Amino acid sequence: MKNRFWRIDARPQGTDFAAALSLVETPLAEPGEGEVTIGNRMLSMDAGTRMWLTDREDGYQPPLPTGAPMTGLVVGEILQSRHPDFAEGDLVRAFGVWGDYSTVDPIMAGAVKLDPSVEDRRAWFGPLGMNGWTALWGVEETGAAKPGETVLVSAAAGATGILAVQIAKLLGCTSAGIAGGADKCRFLRDTIGVDHALDYKSDDLPAKLDALGGIDVYFDNVGGPILDQVITRMNHYGRIAVCGLVSDYTSGKRTAPQEYDQILMRRLRVEGFFSPDFMDQGERLTARLRDWHEAGKLIMPYDVTKGLENTLAAYDKLFTGGNTGKVIVELTQ
């Protein structure tokens, strides 16, 4: 058997991923002792993986070396197993490779057995996956949102943001989301019922931020200049939950708030959080999210690209604003 996968050949400049990754084919290795081979059915496209393509050693995880397969979350069936806790035929989610198959140590890869009765398997990447875990944790734990407070989410039309604004509302908060363009804001407002949808591409973003009347929790997915605008509208003792830095990933620049002094003046708490920090809470988080999901209270649109060969086009959408909701690549074996 052969395995096609995307190999990292160089560090990409900006969003020129085609110049840095190539689709290669090699013989599929048999799983070693304690390993499994997963037949990938879907690949999750996540902006945070852009950090693995840099040469930064001070990121939240070490960069992937050139010459290695690109890594990301996959959902698929176990085809071969040499691990006692995973059987052939199990449906799993794990950190695998952007390829047709992933041969991994399931424990090191964070493999989780999935309930096959969930009709839409895409949900294991969205509301029932790490995007859901991150959204719930960031709003309720890191952001410590309380009923009646105002929660603002940036990149609110992305996979994590779209869940965070809905969860804020489910927890009794006033929900506000920043997104790019009238269509995305219309979706947030009319389809998922966000209280306030703010278009960062419009000239009136400062006025719309003022109209919120103060922000208690800012769920930040982008960093950059918008962070400065938000800091000056935070209520005293507000919390900023830093989830992502999309504005930094491709620009090569570091977010440096000019309004840093407002953290002191307004007694703000700023805290970063990252999904591996609460992996051990996954079962509990999934149970809560599944209740909302099955009740139809968490809406997630899926942006699906078919074919492994089209993976880079799907990935590019995360950094150019080309998607609403969860970006997924579906594979055919």
Side-chain angles (χ1 to χ4, degrees):
M1 294 178 65
K2 301 288 187 179
N3 188 24
R4 297 178 304 153
F5 63 88
W6 285 95
R7 183 182 65 200
I8 306 167
D9 296 326
R11 302 300 177 193
Q13 300 300 310
T15 59
D16 190 5
F17 301 118
L21 291 94
S22 59
L23 186 61
V24 300
E25 183 176 271
T26 63
L28 178 63
E30 294 285 324
E33 187 65 33
E35 292 185 331
V36 300
T37 294
I38 302 168
N40 298 336
R41 298 294 179 258
M42 297 186 296
L43 309 179
S44 174
M45 299 289 102
D46 297 290
T49 59
R50 180 65 177 80
M51 289 289 292
W52 297 341
L53 292 170
T54 71
D55 56 5
R56 286 184 57 178
E57 296 288 346
D58 60 348
Y60 40 65
Q61 282 188 255
L64 293 171
T66 55
M70 181 58 184
T71 297
L73 280 172
V74 307
V75 163
E77 291 87 22
I78 292 181
L79 303 181
Q80 291 182 281
S81 177
R82 297 189 65 189
H83 193 288
D85 297 332
F86 293 85
E88 293 179 9
D90 283 347
L91 180 68
V92 296
R93 181 183 63 228
F95 281 98
V97 303
W98 285 6
D100 291 317
Y101 305 95
S102 297
T103 298
V104 297
D105 177 326
I107 306 305
M108 296 296 293
V112 177
K113 288 192 250 188
L114 306 176
D115 183 350
S117 71
V118 174
E119 291 186 11
D120 190 347
R121 290 185 176 182
R122 299 176 301 180
W124 293 114
F125 279 153
L128 306 183
M130 289 192 185
N131 290 119
W133 295 0
T134 301
L136 178 54
W137 191 273
V139 172
E140 189 172 52
E141 300 291 339
T142 307
K146 304 175 184 64
E149 292 189 325
T150 295
V151 177
L152 175 66
V153 180
S154 58
T160 299
I162 216 165
L163 294 170
V165 288
Q166 293 177 82
I167 289 169
K169 189 150 184 143
L170 288 167
L171 296 177
C173 300
T174 297
S175 61
I178 301 174
D183 290 343
K184 290 184 179 182
C185 288
R186 190 178 303 110
F187 172 83
L188 292 174
R189 184 176 57 250
D190 298 344
T191 302
I192 66 174
V194 170
D195 297 308
H196 304 276
L198 292 67
D199 183 357
Y200 74 82
K201 294 182 178 180
S202 69
D203 295 332
D204 61 351
L205 179 60
K208 288 188 174 180
L209 287 170
D210 288 337
L212 295 178
I215 300 158
D216 298 293
V217 177
Y218 179 41
F219 190 115
D220 189 10
N221 287 304
V222 298
I226 291 177
L227 177 59
D228 275 316
Q229 296 198 49
V230 172
I231 285 178
T232 59
R233 275 88 175 178
M234 294 292 295
N235 288 330
H236 279 61
Y237 306 103
R239 287 82 65 197
I240 298 176
V242 182
C243 178
L245 298 165
V246 172
S247 69
D248 293 12
Y249 293 150
T250 56
S251 69
K253 298 179 180 178
R254 306 289 181 91
T255 292
Q258 295 184 23
E259 304 293 348
Y260 182 82
D261 68 325
Q262 292 302 302
I263 296 173
L264 172 61
M265 305 308 172
R266 296 168 189 261
R267 287 70 145 183
L268 305 179
R269 176 167 62 81
V270 181
E271 182 177 347
F273 67 105
F274 182 42
S275 56
D277 298 339
F278 44 87
M279 282 281 211
D280 61 333
Q281 300 296 311
E283 186 174 347
R284 175 179 68 84
L285 296 171
T286 301
R288 291 188 65 198
L289 291 161
R290 188 167 180 174
D291 286 343
W292 286 329
H293 172 65
E294 294 182 348
K297 294 179 179 180
L298 287 178
I299 296 170
M300 173 61 83
Y302 296 98
D303 185 314
V304 177
T305 297
K306 295 185 180 294
L308 180 64
E309 64 276 9
N310 298 314
T311 298
L312 299 189
Y315 193 53
D316 183 75
K317 294 179 182 181
L318 301 174
F319 308 101
T320 58
N323 67 293
T324 296
K326 182 66 188 179
V327 179
I328 292 172
V329 177
E330 289 187 349
L331 308 183
T332 55
Q333 301 292 345

